[in-house]
Amino acid sequence: MVDHAAKLTDRVWSRYDRKEQLTRYAVYLATLIAVVWAVRDIDIFWPWVWDAPNQIQSLGARMWPPEFSKWSAIFSAMLETVHIATLSTMLTIFIALPVSYIAAQNTTPNKVTLWIGRFILVSSRSVNTIIWALLFVAIFGPGVLAGILAVMFRSVGFIGKLMGEAIEEIDRRPVEAMEATGASKMKVVLYAIVPQVMPAFFAIIILRWDINIRESTVLGLVGAGGIGVLLQGSIDMFAWQTVATILLAIVVLVILGEALTSVLRKKVI
């Protein structure tokens, strides 16, 4: 009895057994090899990396103090950015809702429409907003229209996917009850499905509008309107003090958008 107790006290507790430890070390080693391989493959020019702190200090000195003489043009550009985000979000609703309906397994008419809807959602989310902007700038030329369409096409995948998931999670009992009474398909959607997904719908739209404000601030870098046009022009002219002012304005806009969306989401959810 004493020997058995001594053996128990001599054992050291370990969270993982030997096999699990070896597996974890193998994963760590594989991760390290992948990181080293990736860093070597992208061909980083390391002297520029070591000199980056000096460049940051030099750029910060050139940006200070911010130049506020062009505040009127900056305000107009920021307002244009908000308009791009708002219009694109509103237009997205008319496309994303039908797509989310056919992309949800419990409401899609058949498998063909299911895969069509999911293909649209995946295609939208696979292409970055900047890429969409480049395409529409090439089609419609530089301007706000290209920016609105770019953000809209990107937002379809986001809103459609989340709304499709919300539709799939609804309670089926109201739907089955209305179908049992002989209600039409449209009435089933309006009175059994829509009321259940409305809170999620408003929360998703508000969240996407907040995201679209941030994405709209960089569209001007490729000529798609918004504050990015003024930012790119200031960088090209080496007007670093104006650049600092624009960056501050973007930060303020994003903070205000975040505060507004937080208040709206609390009222909706």
Side-chain angles (χ1 to χ4, degrees):
M1 189 70 178
V2 176
D3 293 339
H4 180 67
K7 290 180 179 179
L8 291 177
T9 56
D10 290 340
R11 294 178 61 183
V12 179
W13 180 85
S14 178
R15 183 176 181 181
Y16 304 102
D17 59 28
R18 186 172 184 81
K19 183 179 179 180
E20 291 175 337
Q21 289 178 350
L22 291 175
T23 302
R24 290 170 63 86
Y25 292 147
V27 171
Y28 292 153
L29 180 61
T31 303
L32 180 61
I33 293 173
V35 171
V36 172
W37 182 25
V39 170
R40 293 185 62 183
D41 193 57
I42 59 178
D43 194 21
I44 298 175
F45 189 65
W46 292 106
W48 286 359
V49 176
W50 311 138
D51 190 51
N54 295 329
Q55 296 299 325
I56 293 173
Q57 182 179 3
S58 175
L59 185 61
R62 282 176 282 172
M63 284 184 171
W64 186 263
E67 177 61 56
F68 293 99
S69 61
K70 297 183 179 180
W71 66 270
S72 179
I74 294 174
F75 179 79
S76 298
M78 296 298 291
L79 192 60
E80 184 177 88
T81 300
V82 175
H83 290 334
I84 292 174
T86 304
L87 289 174
S88 60
T89 304
M90 298 304 296
L91 292 174
T92 301
I93 296 174
F94 298 100
I95 302 176
L97 290 184
V99 174
S100 65
Y101 181 83
I102 64 174
Q105 293 186 12
N106 56 340
T107 55
T108 189
N110 50 64
K111 289 186 177 181
V112 175
T113 56
L114 174 66
W115 287 108
I116 291 175
R118 293 190 172 181
F119 174 77
I120 294 173
L121 298 181
V122 171
S123 301
S124 171
R125 291 184 290 115
S126 299
V127 181
N128 190 270
T129 307
I130 294 295
I131 307 301
W132 282 119
L134 287 171
L135 293 175
F136 287 116
V137 166
I139 296 172
F140 298 102
V144 176
L145 179 60
I148 293 174
L149 293 176
V151 178
M152 182 185 72
F153 270 69
R154 174 67 172 180
S155 301
V156 167
F158 181 91
I159 295 176
K161 178 176 175 57
L162 294 182
M163 283 301 302
E165 292 177 351
I167 293 174
E168 290 180 344
E169 294 174 358
I170 63 171
D171 185 358
R172 289 288 303 172
R173 288 175 295 182
V175 176
E176 294 171 354
M178 291 198 65
E179 289 176 345
T181 61
S184 65
K185 195 71 174 180
M186 181 59 67
K187 289 185 177 180
V188 171
V189 172
L190 291 178
Y191 297 108
I193 298 178
V194 171
Q196 296 190 62
V197 299
M198 283 300 288
F201 167 74
F202 285 116
I204 292 168
I205 293 300
I206 293 170
L207 175 62
R208 188 63 213 186
W209 178 74
D210 182 35
I211 296 173
N212 286 345
I213 286 181
R214 304 178 191 184
E215 293 194 345
S216 299
T217 58
V218 298
L219 294 176
L221 300 178
V222 294
I227 189 64
V229 174
L230 197 59
L231 177 61
Q232 184 63 56
S234 300
I235 293 174
D236 293 339
M237 297 296 293
F238 302 107
W240 298 112
Q241 292 177 315
T242 304
V243 170
T245 306
I246 295 173
L247 293 177
L248 288 174
I250 292 174
V251 171
V252 171
L253 176 64
V254 171
I255 292 175
L256 291 177
E258 183 72 25
L260 179 60
T261 54
S262 297
V263 172
L264 293 177
R265 284 172 63 85
K266 287 181 180 180
K267 292 182 177 296
V268 171
I269 299 178

